[in-house]
Amino acid sequence: MSDRTLYLFDGINKTSVKLIVEQIIKINQWDDDKDKKEKDYKRLPIDLIINSNGGSVYDGFGLINVIENSKTPVHTYVYGLAASMSLLIAVSGHKRHAGRLSTFMYHSVSTHIDGHLEHLKNRVDETQRLQNIYDECILSKTSLQAEELARVKEHQRNWYMSPEEALAYGIIDTIV
């Protein structure tokens, strides 16, 4: 399987994630077969090129599960923007890179909430659960501190970072 470069340039949704998940699984199956047949088979990495403003938390978590469970390493490259959910996807790569003109953005999780009071309470609880998962994930994969994320959420703002800042916080491993 020679084509191991995948692209995430759309918003994070079922359609955009499905294509990437299918390819990562196919490449892993190909590598598993080669691994059984060839004594010293070396898995070549999958390159995931990212330029996305984010999107669905649920769909993003699905892709992250596949990346984390991929025996074949997935290397992420941010060329442009990795915002919101695509930031967490970029951080989930086994090796993480960014172009010198890239931008990273963290903000609190948002969901569309409307309906009856009980429905609203339920959605608020679910949004908090998703926020906790998102923050735990990003904190476990970077050198960011919980206090820094809390400050961003307290001021209800988007936190934009340069590649140099992303490197300093362990969001990426290298600037390419």
Side-chain angles (χ1 to χ4, degrees):
M1 195 155 245
S2 61
D3 190 11
R4 292 172 178 257
T5 304
L6 310 175
Y7 300 90
L8 180 57
F9 276 46
D10 295 322
I12 313 299
N13 58 52
K14 285 183 183 6
T15 304
S16 63
V17 167
K18 179 181 183 283
L19 298 170
I20 296 167
V21 165
E22 287 174 343
Q23 285 305 110
I24 292 172
I25 290 171
K26 283 180 188 174
I27 292 169
N28 271 273
Q29 289 169 341
W30 169 269
D31 285 350
D32 288 345
D33 289 344
K34 293 293 252 178
D35 214 9
K36 291 175 189 169
K37 295 175 184 171
E38 297 178 22
K39 183 179 179 204
D40 293 318
Y41 180 71
K42 182 172 173 7
R43 293 171 185 259
L44 298 174
I46 298 166
D47 294 333
L48 177 57
I49 313 300
I50 299 170
N51 181 19
S52 171
N53 61 352
S56 167
V57 176
Y58 295 112
D59 297 323
F61 284 167
L63 176 54
I64 290 167
N65 280 326
V66 171
I67 291 170
E68 289 179 345
N69 288 296
S70 176
K71 285 173 62 178
T72 301
V74 177
H75 296 180
T76 55
Y77 292 83
V78 175
Y79 292 130
L81 177 65
S84 192
M85 196 63 224
S86 66
L87 170 65
L88 195 58
I89 291 168
V91 166
S92 297
H94 297 103
K95 289 193 178 172
R96 306 167 305 209
H97 314 277
R100 66 180 185 83
L101 302 176
S102 298
T103 300
F104 300 82
M105 190 272 285
Y106 169 90
H107 65 182
S108 61
V109 170
S110 64
T111 58
H112 179 72
I113 300 177
D114 64 358
H116 300 288
L117 180 58
E118 290 308 314
H119 180 78
L120 293 172
K121 288 178 184 177
N122 183 261
R123 290 304 303 162
V124 168
D125 290 345
E126 176 60 3
T127 302
Q128 185 60 61
R129 185 186 77 83
L130 295 173
Q131 184 69 58
N132 292 343
I133 294 168
Y134 186 103
D135 288 350
E136 288 170 16
C137 197
I138 202 163
L139 291 171
S140 72
K141 296 173 182 293
T142 68
S143 59
L144 286 166
Q145 299 298 310
E147 298 78 27
E148 292 161 320
L149 302 184
R151 269 194 302 277
V152 172
K153 290 182 278 195
E154 178 182 316
H155 297 309
Q156 299 177 350
R157 65 181 182 95
N158 297 334
W159 179 18
Y160 291 93
M161 290 173 261
S162 68
E164 293 78 15
E165 290 169 298
L167 184 63
Y169 285 117
I171 291 168
I172 57 173
D173 301 315
T174 62
I175 299 172
V176 294

